[in-house]
Amino acid sequence: MAIHPPQQRIWWREPIEKMEVAWIAIAFVWGLVMFFTMIAWHFWGQQNLANEAYRVQPEAYVAKVEAMTEQYKVGEEGDTGIEVVHPPAGSDVYLLARLWQWWPVLELEKGKTYRLHLSSADWQHGFSLLPTNINIQVHPGYEMVVTVTPTETGEFSIVCNEYCGIGHHTMSGKIRVVESKGGK
Amino acid sequence: MVAVTGVDVGRKPLAPSFRTCAVTGLRVEANAERLIKANAVAGVLFLALGGLFGLLVALTRWPAIHLLPAEWFYLILTAHGANVLLFWIIFFEIAVLYFASTTLLNCRLPAPKVAWAGFALMVIGAVVTDIAVFQGESTVMFTSYPPMMAKPHFYLGLILFAVGALVGCGIFFAALVVAKEEKTYNGSIPLVTFGALTAAIIAVFTIASGAIILIPTFLWSLGYISHIDPLMYKVVWWAMGHSSQQINVSAHVAIWYAIAAIVLGAKPLSEKVSRTAYLMYILFLQLASAHHLLVEPGISSEWKIVNTSYFMYLAVLGSMIHGMTVPGAIEAAQRKRGFNKGVFEWLRKAPWSNPAFAGMFLSLVMFGFIGGISGVVLGTEQLNILMHNTIYVPGHFHGTVVAGTTLAFMAATYLLIPLFFKRELVLKKLAQWQPYLFGIGAGGISLFMMGAGTLGVPRRHWDITFSDAPMGTEFSAAAYLMLGLNGICAVLAAAGGIAYILVVVGSILFGKRIPDGQPKPASAPQPAVTQYGNAGTLHLPGTLVLVGIFFLSFVLYYYVNWKYLAQLWPLR
Ligand code: HEM
Ligand SMILES: [Cu+2]
Ligand SMILES: [Cu+2]
């Protein structure tokens, strides 16, 4: 039994059951299939997370976001006083995670491809775009660049899903996707 | 108090005192017995504490109840993770290691004084960390990601605890050597001991990683180091955090085999296959920290793919093998006893009212179907984008570590009480129901958290209504329903947990005493399957059907998630 020494002293000389061999073969092939599915998605799938990232000083990143906000501000979000930014279609857009806010509100055009930069001014945060359900970890000191193409118009919420202190559950932001104003 | 007696016997190590268990016929040495009892009892106490915290957390996440205020929620959540995942599981694992070495190999426990010192370190460490958490300035979750910083004694407690656990592993290795030298057994070590050896080897790797990351973090919290890179921290922290889950798997698989053997006389279909499957855990799990880093910045896809597929999922293969050989061994044993009708008579007529068996089998099924499948899906490079850090993640690991490991350990306790405490179980009816109550509860919280996570509900989050937030989001009614059902299942699981504590404590204190048995010659009880393998003797159609269903569910669920992924905004 499993709680006694094996009957055959040299246990690796034992024969293997046919059924066991078959199951091992199936499980092994399934492992290969899953392995190649991941690789194949890099060639044929549309959703692969970028490998592009840079080290950045948090202050330097904050400065970049401020510069973009200054340049492309189109208004404020309701009565929250939070800036809404409409950067040119297809440009680099910057989103800042900080205690406890995603800043600023981004207005993007449907069908246009943006380079979305993500970094944090302080602690780690979790970028979670809802209801689309895109989740990306955001670190201070690392600037990640995700190339993304919104495919539907509407309001999308950003919540934080990495615990970031007592205000974690109030941390939120927004991406608004609007119809393209034409032109490429 | 207990320690003093341990020291006493330690003075005359050449004359270890053994007794024989009247129920199992196993021989138990006095020092080993005391240490196994102490570690198991400490584990159960931390489970009681941590389980209570789990209930409070779940009731807070149930929006209709929303029990705790925010500060308390995050504090209690930190305490929950530390007390159950680290303290309960690891204390119990040390007991399992001592059992699998001394009791199964019929040998004495070497260096009992050192073993008690290790135990003391673990107790002190656990208490120091809990104190730090409850002082309120270390609400950093048990993962303690920098730059968020806890008080120094939070890290110090964890380090002491880990050192104590390392001492325990050392004693285990020493016991193996002693048993070999003193020739206390014939041939190779039993499969269960082999599984425990796997767990202990992985534990050494795990604790080393823990030291590499926690010691600098401790110094950082004292101000001696100015900066801890948050990404580097996660890579090394999860080398500990994930491998320690592999310890749990090795340990609970060993317990599956042990319970099947003790209750049914089941014998592994093939020692070779089962042992090779264990070896795969050691060989292919070290880089698994990768699957916690699938959506972090600055980590290449190649690195992620190579490491998450553990070179083509060879460790998953190990678990899938055990997932067949354990029910296979049970089916073979049952058929040998004459439950041969149809495909499933062996399963229908299994001892479902024996809590050790029921707990073990539920643990096997739920670990595979809930914890296992969701773990592979979650650990797939691109699919992780869908659920990273949503409450799907705790859903997944309550399937592994609660419905799987914790339930298996509970089941094992029902056998350990007569063996080491020499008491019969009290409240037998309650004990009979306990695995089902806890199992359904644990399975339920796993599934409903996974469901809510699929709808985007974040983990570690006090208020998904965002009532204090400037913008917030609106979750669907289904998400609220899931969290409510999660709360209900949490109550069931807690009831199962209370039943467990009542039976265990009641039996230890008031159970009917079992007299010592007569020392038997070291011959093994007649196993139910006498020949290796079942070729020519038995077919296992039931197991075939079970693994077939498992495989189909796995493939289907895996590709359903790819389909869901394909609907996201294109990302590069
Ligand atoms: C009565 C039983 C239990 C219930 C009701 C329960 C419930 C929960 C809930 C609702 C969460 C929080 C999810 C979130 O907001 O992120 C959680 C987190 C967690 N649970 Fe449990 N749990 C139980 C037992 C256990 C056990 C036995 C273990 C380990 C062996 C465990 C390990 C964890 C861990 C590691 C976390 C994550 C903590 C963190 O995010 O830092 N739980 N549990
Ligand atoms: Cu945050
Ligand atoms: Cu947060």
Side-chain angles (χ1 to χ4, degrees):
Chain A
M1 295 197 293
I3 57 170
H4 297 294
Q7 213 168 352
Q8 192 161 335
R9 199 185 173 93
I10 317 282
W11 49 265
W12 61 87
R13 295 233 189 94
E14 272 178 24
I16 307 181
E17 250 338 282
K18 260 198 234 95
M19 181 174 154
E20 282 178 306
V21 177
W23 178 240
I24 293 168
I26 291 171
F28 183 76
V29 170
W30 173 234
L32 281 175
V33 169
M34 292 193 295
F35 175 65
F36 286 112
T37 305
M38 280 193 281
I39 296 175
W41 201 261
H42 278 275
F43 291 99
W44 293 292
Q46 298 287 312
Q47 293 80 9
N48 289 290
L49 206 57
N51 291 328
E52 189 178 350
Y54 307 94
R55 278 186 193 275
V56 67
Q57 287 300 319
E59 305 78 48
Y61 186 77
V62 173
K64 285 199 243 183
V65 186
E66 282 171 351
M68 175 200 69
T69 308
E70 184 91 356
Q71 199 176 355
Y72 299 118
K73 179 173 165 179
V74 292
E76 287 184 357
E77 178 68 22
D79 54 2
T80 60
I82 298 168
E83 294 82 346
V84 178
V85 174
H86 189 116
S91 66
D92 282 62
V93 297
Y94 296 84
L95 184 68
L96 177 67
R98 64 182 173 199
L99 302 171
W100 284 287
Q101 177 185 57
W102 296 99
W103 186 75
V105 170
L106 297 172
E107 203 172 273
L108 306 179
E109 292 178 17
K110 179 181 160 185
K112 292 286 155 52
T113 300
Y114 295 85
R115 284 165 51 79
L116 173 64
H117 296 240
L118 294 167
S119 190
S120 163
D122 33 60
W123 289 347
Q124 291 187 40
H125 298 279
F127 173 89
S128 179
L129 187 71
L130 296 170
T132 354
N133 228 352
I134 293 174
N135 302 284
I136 300 170
Q137 188 81 16
V138 180
H139 284 251
Y142 291 86
E143 178 175 348
M144 186 165 187
V145 188
V146 183
T147 305
V148 60
T149 316
T151 51
E152 46 196 334
T153 58
E155 301 224 333
F156 296 88
S157 308
I158 312 170
V159 307
C160 177
N161 64 13
E162 181 57 79
Y163 170 68
C164 55
I166 189 60
H168 168 55
H169 51 273
T170 63
M171 179 158 169
S172 57
K174 196 176 276 182
I175 290 181
R176 184 176 299 117
V177 182
V178 296
E179 282 299 341
S180 173
K181 303 222 171 78
K184 259 264 160 190
Chain B
M1 314 144 284
V2 201
V4 177
T5 37
V7 170
D8 241 25
V9 183
R11 244 186 282 133
K12 31 181 172 136
L14 285 180
S17 78
F18 282 91
R19 65 175 181 81
T20 300
C21 171
V23 181
T24 55
L26 290 167
R27 277 171 25 107
V28 183
E29 190 242 353
N31 279 312
E33 174 171 310
R34 285 190 205 101
L35 276 151
I36 290 169
K37 283 182 185 174
N39 279 285
V41 167
V44 171
L45 291 178
F46 282 107
L47 174 65
L49 194 65
L52 171 68
F53 298 154
L55 179 65
L56 296 178
V57 167
L59 291 180
T60 307
R61 296 227 54 172
W62 185 348
I65 295 189
H66 212 218
L67 185 67
L68 300 172
E71 298 94 281
W72 276 101
F73 169 75
Y74 293 122
L75 186 153
I76 293 290
L77 184 53
T78 305
H80 174 58
N83 281 285
V84 280
L85 192 66
L86 303 175
F87 308 153
W88 141 245
I89 294 272
I90 295 179
F91 270 117
F92 201 89
E93 268 159 7
I94 298 290
V96 171
L97 288 186
Y98 291 164
F99 164 77
S101 52
T102 61
T103 311
L104 293 187
L105 295 181
N106 193 16
C107 82
R108 67 186 168 86
L109 186 107
K113 276 189 216 172
V114 180
W116 281 111
F119 176 73
L121 273 178
M122 287 172 71
V123 172
I124 294 168
V127 170
V128 166
T129 296
D130 270 347
I131 290 175
V133 170
F134 279 90
Q135 283 172 338
E137 284 173 83
S138 300
T139 301
V140 292
M141 303 296 137
F142 77 104
T143 44
S144 54
Y145 293 151
M148 193 178 277
M149 193 192 280
K151 288 280 167 234
H153 54 306
F154 175 86
Y155 307 107
L156 182 65
L158 294 180
I159 293 168
L160 294 178
F161 183 81
V163 172
L166 192 58
V167 170
C169 295
I171 298 285
F172 168 79
F173 293 125
L176 295 190
V177 173
V178 165
K180 183 121 206 131
E181 300 242 300
E182 297 177 359
K183 299 202 170 53
T184 58
Y185 64 100
N186 290 319
S188 305
I189 57 175
L191 179 59
V192 172
T193 312
F194 194 87
L197 176 61
T198 310
I201 291 172
I202 300 173
V204 172
F205 170 83
T206 300
I207 295 170
S209 311
I212 292 172
I213 198 61
L214 283 175
I215 292 172
T217 309
F218 172 56
L219 296 175
W220 170 69
S221 70
L222 286 170
Y224 294 122
I225 291 179
S226 65
H227 179 71
I228 299 276
D229 183 83
L231 193 53
M232 184 275 296
Y233 176 94
K234 275 184 147 173
V235 174
V236 186
W237 197 93
W238 281 111
M240 164 181 76
H242 187 80
S243 317
S244 65
Q245 302 320 307
Q246 206 55 40
I247 306 174
N248 301 343
V249 176
S250 304
H252 77 224
V253 171
I255 284 181
W256 293 345
Y257 281 116
I259 292 180
I262 294 172
V263 175
L264 294 171
K267 186 170 169 176
L269 297 181
S270 148
E271 295 271 353
K272 176 153 98 180
V273 169
S274 298
R275 285 171 199 240
T276 310
Y278 270 124
L279 279 179
M280 289 180 162
Y281 287 162
I282 301 182
L283 294 177
F284 300 106
L285 247 112
Q286 271 74 342
L287 296 166
S289 73
H291 75 219
H292 296 264
L293 306 167
L294 294 174
V295 297
E296 311 295 300
I299 295 180
S300 78
S301 295
E302 291 81 0
W303 188 85
K304 291 175 191 167
I305 291 182
V306 167
N307 289 326
T308 52
S309 54
Y310 325 134
F311 303 101
M312 294 169 286
Y313 292 102
L314 288 171
V316 172
L317 180 60
S319 286
M320 286 176 74
I321 293 174
H322 291 305
M324 192 219 102
T325 56
V326 173
I330 293 172
E331 179 173 2
Q334 285 284 81
R335 285 187 186 273
K336 214 49 192 197
R337 294 162 166 236
F339 298 118
N340 242 325
K341 234 184 284 146
V343 180
F344 282 122
E345 191 193 21
W346 64 276
L347 193 58
R348 273 199 316 277
K349 302 249 167 97
W352 292 109
S353 55
N354 177 337
F357 176 83
M360 176 257 142
F361 207 86
L362 287 176
S363 157
L364 168 70
V365 170
M366 290 197 287
F367 177 77
F369 276 88
I370 303 180
I373 294 179
S374 66
V376 172
V377 168
L378 200 49
T380 302
E381 193 207 359
Q382 296 93 338
L383 297 180
N384 190 256
I385 300 171
L386 287 172
M387 18 223 173
H388 175 76
N389 265 358
T390 65
I391 201 170
Y392 188 97
V393 178
H396 148 68
F397 64 68
H398 283 74
T400 56
V401 95
V402 187
T405 309
T406 299
L407 189 51
F409 286 2
M410 286 174 164
T413 322
Y414 295 123
L415 297 178
L416 293 179
I417 290 173
L419 179 55
F420 292 109
F421 290 92
K422 296 187 271 179
R423 302 276 193 171
E424 281 179 18
L425 295 186
V426 294
L427 304 172
K428 290 216 172 69
K429 262 271 160 313
L430 189 65
Q432 235 174 59
W433 282 102
Q434 190 277 333
Y436 300 98
L437 204 52
F438 186 80
I440 292 169
I445 57 175
S446 310
L447 287 172
F448 293 123
M449 282 199 267
M450 282 163 59
T454 308
L455 300 169
V457 174
R459 72 185 287 194
R460 300 174 166 172
H461 200 280
W462 180 66
D463 178 21
I464 65 159
T465 64
F466 288 86
S467 49
D468 301 332
M471 287 182 274
T473 189
E474 259 183 48
F475 284 102
S476 62
Y480 283 86
L481 178 66
M482 293 287 173
L483 289 174
L485 291 170
N486 176 54
I488 292 171
C489 290
V491 173
L492 285 181
I498 293 169
Y500 171 72
I501 306 283
L502 283 179
V503 173
V504 170
V505 175
S507 305
I508 292 175
L509 297 179
F510 309 113
K512 205 171 126 217
R513 279 183 194 281
I514 302 170
D516 280 352
Q518 289 305 307
K520 280 185 204 158
S523 82
Q526 194 53 31
V529 177
T530 42
Q531 276 304 306
Y532 272 108
N534 48 38
T537 53
L538 288 168
H539 291 290
L540 303 173
T543 301
L544 205 65
V545 171
L546 289 182
V547 296
I549 295 173
F550 173 78
F551 186 69
L552 283 181
S553 322
F554 195 167
V555 175
L556 256 170
Y557 186 68
Y558 181 75
Y559 282 110
V560 162
N561 278 285
W562 282 102
K563 185 160 181 308
Y564 187 22
L565 179 78
Q567 294 161 1
L568 291 193
W569 295 356
L571 291 171
R572 266 183 283 130

